[in-house]
Amino acid sequence: MIRHWLAGPMALLAAAPVAAQVIDSAPTRSALVRTIALDARLATDAGLRLGDTVRISALTGDRTAERAVVSALLARRADPSEIARQEYRARLHLDQLQRLSGYGDRVDRFAIRTSGDSARAALLTTVNAAAFGFRAWPSAEIAVRTSRTFQVVRRFHRAIGVITIVASAAFLLCILLLKIDERRRDVAALRMMGISSATIVRSVVLEAGLIALLGSLFGVGLGIVMARLVNWHFQGVHRTTLAFTLVTSETILFACALSVVLGTVAGWVAARRLVARPPLSLLGR
């Protein structure tokens, strides 16, 4: 079934039964061939092009269906809430929609574009006071109410991120402890040559920080490539311009800073643990 959506970010009225109204004022069929805007995905799947004439009807095989000329193709919006929906959309003239739906003067909801906060507030007050059952909402509030699922997913992703950071920090510390412990003979030789423990610790910390920085830069490059692959795949599957993964500059800076800090701390802990032992003990004597 073709659904009709009125365009624009506006206040939205919830469905309201208007039993007292007479619903029989749907306009008669127009003698002219009207235009219609179709979903670009529908045009692709059905092999339609601009200028083609189609018949629109709520019934299958209706030979008396109204004809319409495809005058525009609608690109799918980059809206996460629409990704799971597979239905097609079409935009019709209001009288076309009335005849197609048989709804007459009734509407379930409609949107109104306003100019400025004061006009929006006045409109909300007027509509909400018009009759019992009418309820108007700002488009921003509707977006919040309909995106709670995504807010839960966002919190879930944050929890996964925190767990990943803690686990990677423990893994990094263990790796550095093992790697630096393998250099205990070198450290013992340096200390027996008169190199101070502080100098050895600084060199190990500097090396660990540099390795962490290079590793984080490699991870950033890998993340950018993977993000582009994910977007390329799912944008093709869902035929949308929505970005499924993002690698922002804030994310890169945070990842690099966190990696350097964790690497430096892990290197300092491993170096302090090594220089705390006597040189002969490091040589196994």
Side-chain angles (χ1 to χ4, degrees), residues 63-81:
R63 294 184 177 277
T64 63
E66 180 180 351
R67 293 187 302 162
V69 176
V70 180
S71 62
L73 299 179
L74 305 173
R76 197 174 192 182
R77 295 185 303 173
D79 188 346
S81 63

Side-chain angles (χ1 to χ4, degrees), residues 1 3-6 11-18 21 23 94 97-98 101-111 127 133-137 142:
M1 177 180 177
R3 300 182 61 185
H4 175 265
W5 296 82
L6 295 178
L12 196 63
L13 282 179
V18 192
Q21 288 187 323
I23 315 298
L94 185 56
L97 178 63
Q98 287 180 294
S101 62
Y103 240 37
D105 291 336
R106 293 180 299 171
V107 294
D108 290 332
R109 58 183 179 179
F110 61 90
V127 172
F134 283 92
R135 184 61 180 170
W137 303 91
I142 292 175

Side-chain angles (χ1 to χ4, degrees), residues 123-179:
L123 176 65
L124 292 176
T125 303
T126 303
V127 172
N128 289 332
F132 177 77
F134 283 92
R135 184 61 180 170
W137 303 91
S139 55
E141 187 169 346
I142 292 175
V144 172
R145 288 173 175 268
T146 56
S147 60
R148 289 178 178 174
T149 301
F150 299 102
Q151 292 177 358
V152 173
V153 173
R154 184 179 181 180
R155 296 191 193 103
F156 182 69
H157 285 171
R158 283 185 175 178
I160 292 177
V162 171
I163 294 173
T164 303
I165 290 174
V166 173
S168 61
F171 180 76
L172 179 62
L173 178 59
C174 293
I175 290 294
L176 279 177
L177 288 174
L178 292 175
K179 288 297 181 182

Side-chain angles (χ1 to χ4, degrees), residues 9-83:
M10 304 151 237
L12 196 63
L13 282 179
V18 192
Q21 288 187 323
V22 178
I23 315 298
D24 60 354
S25 60
T28 57
R29 176 165 302 176
S30 172
L32 301 175
V33 178
R34 308 291 295 278
T35 56
I36 186 175
L38 291 182
D39 195 315
R41 297 173 299 139
L42 172 59
T44 301
D45 295 343
L48 296 173
R49 295 178 298 179
L50 292 176
D52 287 350
T53 301
V54 298
R55 291 184 179 275
I56 54 176
S57 174
L59 303 175
T60 304
D62 184 6
R63 294 184 177 277
T64 63
E66 180 180 351
R67 293 187 302 162
V69 176
V70 180
S71 62
L73 299 179
L74 305 173
R76 197 174 192 182
R77 295 185 303 173
D79 188 346
S81 63
E82 297 183 359
I83 291 301

Side-chain angles (χ1 to χ4, degrees), residues 70-248:
V70 180
S71 62
L73 299 179
L74 305 173
R76 197 174 192 182
R77 295 185 303 173
D79 188 346
S81 63
E82 297 183 359
I83 291 301
R85 299 176 180 173
Q86 298 300 323
E87 73 265 22
Y88 299 119
R89 288 187 174 183
R91 290 186 180 180
L92 300 85
H93 297 280
L94 185 56
D95 57 332
Q96 286 178 309
L97 178 63
Q98 287 180 294
R99 289 192 296 273
L100 180 67
S101 62
Y103 240 37
D105 291 336
R106 293 180 299 171
V107 294
D108 290 332
R109 58 183 179 179
F110 61 90
I112 301 175
R113 188 188 299 274
T114 58
S115 57
D117 295 338
S118 59
R120 180 172 61 250
L123 176 65
L124 292 176
T125 303
T126 303
V127 172
N128 289 332
F132 177 77
F134 283 92
R135 184 61 180 170
W137 303 91
S139 55
E141 187 169 346
I142 292 175
V144 172
R145 288 173 175 268
T146 56
S147 60
R148 289 178 178 174
T149 301
F150 299 102
Q151 292 177 358
V152 173
V153 173
R154 184 179 181 180
R155 296 191 193 103
F156 182 69
H157 285 171
R158 283 185 175 178
I160 292 177
V162 171
I163 294 173
T164 303
I165 290 174
V166 173
S168 61
F171 180 76
L172 179 62
L173 178 59
C174 293
I175 290 294
L176 279 177
L177 288 174
L178 292 175
K179 288 297 181 182
I180 293 177
D181 191 66
E182 291 177 354
R183 298 167 61 179
R184 60 184 181 278
R185 291 181 178 275
D186 297 335
V187 173
L190 291 174
R191 294 189 58 189
M192 295 180 70
M193 291 171 60
I195 305 299
S196 66
S197 299
T199 301
I200 296 174
V201 171
R202 283 197 296 270
S203 65
V204 172
V205 168
L206 180 62
E207 183 179 353
L210 183 60
I211 292 175
L213 179 60
L214 293 177
S216 60
L217 293 178
F218 174 78
V220 167
L222 181 62
I224 292 175
V225 172
M226 294 303 298
R228 290 184 177 179
L229 286 176
V230 169
N231 286 332
W232 170 77
H233 174 72
F234 286 103
Q235 286 177 350
V237 170
H238 296 286
R239 290 185 283 185
T240 179
T241 59
L242 179 68
F244 291 83
T245 58
L246 291 174
V247 180
T248 63

